[in-house]
Tab-separated table of all heavy atoms in Angstrom:
chain	number	residue	atom	x	y	z
X	674	VAL	N	-3.355	0.129	-6.515
X	674	VAL	CA	-4.466	0.976	-6.333
X	674	VAL	C	-4.018	2.324	-6.008
X	674	VAL	O	-4.593	3.378	-6.251
X	674	VAL	CB	-5.457	0.460	-5.130
X	674	VAL	CG1	-4.763	0.293	-3.803
X	674	VAL	CG2	-6.631	1.282	-4.926
X	751	GLY	N	-11.703	2.747	3.611
X	751	GLY	CA	-12.098	2.593	2.150
X	751	GLY	C	-12.249	1.109	1.824
X	751	GLY	O	-12.670	0.267	2.648
X	752	ARG	N	-11.894	0.761	0.554
X	752	ARG	CA	-12.068	-0.639	0.100
X	752	ARG	C	-11.238	-1.610	0.996
X	752	ARG	O	-11.831	-2.627	1.560
X	752	ARG	CB	-11.673	-0.777	-1.366
X	752	ARG	CG	-12.709	-0.192	-2.328
X	752	ARG	CD	-12.040	-0.091	-3.654
X	752	ARG	NE	-11.083	0.979	-3.683
X	752	ARG	CZ	-10.989	1.924	-4.583
X	752	ARG	NH1	-11.835	2.101	-5.528
X	752	ARG	NH2	-9.980	2.844	-4.543
X	753	ILE	N	-9.981	-1.333	1.196
X	753	ILE	CA	-9.162	-2.235	1.929
X	753	ILE	C	-9.581	-2.153	3.485
X	753	ILE	O	-9.732	-3.170	4.146
X	753	ILE	CB	-7.632	-1.852	1.800
X	753	ILE	CG1	-7.254	-2.167	0.358
X	753	ILE	CG2	-6.787	-2.669	2.790
X	753	ILE	CD1	-5.853	-1.874	-0.059
X	774	SER	N	-14.835	11.089	5.574
X	774	SER	CA	-16.239	10.971	5.654
X	774	SER	C	-16.632	9.836	6.593
X	774	SER	O	-16.018	8.815	6.693
X	774	SER	CB	-16.810	10.654	4.340
X	774	SER	OG	-16.373	9.531	3.786
X	776	LYS	N	-19.073	6.772	7.672
X	776	LYS	CA	-19.759	5.782	6.870
X	776	LYS	C	-20.890	5.213	7.612
X	776	LYS	O	-20.843	5.248	8.748
X	776	LYS	CB	-18.773	4.703	6.425
X	776	LYS	CG	-17.296	5.099	6.003
X	776	LYS	CD	-17.221	5.361	4.583
X	776	LYS	CE	-15.803	5.866	4.219
X	776	LYS	NZ	-15.765	6.656	3.062
X	827	ILE	N	0.180	-0.499	6.364
X	827	ILE	CA	0.183	-1.120	4.994
X	827	ILE	C	-0.362	-0.114	3.939
X	827	ILE	O	-0.744	-0.496	2.904
X	827	ILE	CB	-0.823	-2.373	4.997
X	827	ILE	CG1	-2.144	-2.143	5.696
X	827	ILE	CG2	-0.083	-3.577	5.681
X	827	ILE	CD1	-3.265	-1.942	4.887
X	853	ASP	N	4.969	-2.331	6.251
X	853	ASP	CA	5.218	-2.930	5.011
X	853	ASP	C	5.723	-1.861	3.970
X	853	ASP	O	6.134	-2.231	2.946
X	853	ASP	CB	3.888	-3.499	4.564
X	853	ASP	CG	4.070	-4.254	3.171
X	853	ASP	OD1	4.992	-5.085	3.060
X	853	ASP	OD2	3.221	-3.983	2.217
X	876	HIS	N	7.243	-4.255	1.268
X	876	HIS	CA	6.130	-3.716	0.462
X	876	HIS	C	5.535	-4.864	-0.354
X	876	HIS	O	5.676	-4.883	-1.588
X	876	HIS	CB	6.614	-2.567	-0.469
X	876	HIS	CG	5.438	-1.808	-1.011
X	876	HIS	ND1	5.529	-0.506	-1.370
X	876	HIS	CD2	4.192	-2.158	-1.249
X	876	HIS	CE1	4.372	-0.038	-1.785
X	876	HIS	NE2	3.573	-1.019	-1.722
D	29	NAP	P1	-9.746	3.646	-1.084
D	29	NAP	O1	-10.782	2.758	-1.349
D	29	NAP	O2	-9.542	4.865	-1.914
D	29	NAP	O3	-9.801	4.087	0.440
D	29	NAP	C1	-8.972	5.018	1.024
D	29	NAP	C2	-9.614	5.496	2.253
D	29	NAP	O4	-8.750	6.402	2.897
D	29	NAP	C3	-11.038	6.235	2.023
D	29	NAP	O5	-12.054	5.668	2.730
D	29	NAP	C4	-10.689	7.706	2.364
D	29	NAP	O6	-11.808	8.274	2.961
D	29	NAP	C5	-9.605	7.504	3.343
D	29	NAP	N1	-8.796	8.717	3.668
D	29	NAP	C6	-8.502	9.671	2.691
D	29	NAP	N2	-7.768	10.662	3.260
D	29	NAP	C7	-7.640	10.305	4.605
D	29	NAP	C8	-7.131	10.885	5.762
D	29	NAP	N3	-6.565	12.051	5.673
D	29	NAP	N4	-7.212	10.207	6.960
D	29	NAP	C9	-7.754	8.938	6.998
D	29	NAP	N5	-8.337	8.436	5.997
D	29	NAP	C10	-8.318	8.998	4.814
D	29	NAP	O7	-8.377	2.940	-1.257
D	29	NAP	P2	-7.992	1.361	-0.940
D	29	NAP	O8	-8.184	0.558	-2.192
D	29	NAP	O9	-8.585	1.059	0.378
D	29	NAP	O10	-6.383	1.527	-0.737
D	29	NAP	C11	-5.843	2.345	0.266
D	29	NAP	C12	-4.445	2.555	0.196
D	29	NAP	O11	-3.699	1.361	0.571
D	29	NAP	C13	-3.848	2.905	-1.189
D	29	NAP	O12	-3.979	4.260	-1.563
D	29	NAP	C14	-2.432	2.436	-1.149
D	29	NAP	O13	-1.583	3.511	-1.001
D	29	NAP	C15	-2.387	1.367	-0.072
D	29	NAP	N6	-2.067	0.057	-0.486
D	29	NAP	C16	-0.851	-0.527	-0.046
D	29	NAP	C17	-0.558	-1.726	-0.537
D	29	NAP	C18	0.713	-2.508	-0.103
D	29	NAP	O14	1.311	-3.168	-0.824
D	29	NAP	N7	1.112	-2.294	1.161
D	29	NAP	C19	-1.383	-2.436	-1.508
D	29	NAP	C20	-2.540	-1.812	-1.875
D	29	NAP	C21	-2.883	-0.521	-1.383
D	29	NAP	P3	-13.141	8.762	2.288
D	29	NAP	O15	-13.836	7.490	1.975
D	29	NAP	O16	-13.872	9.519	3.238
D	29	NAP	O17	-12.687	9.468	0.973
Side-chain angles (χ1 to χ4, degrees):
V674 63
R752 285 167 292 232
I753 292 173
S774 64
K776 320 271 179 204
I827 46 103
D853 183 48
H876 199 153

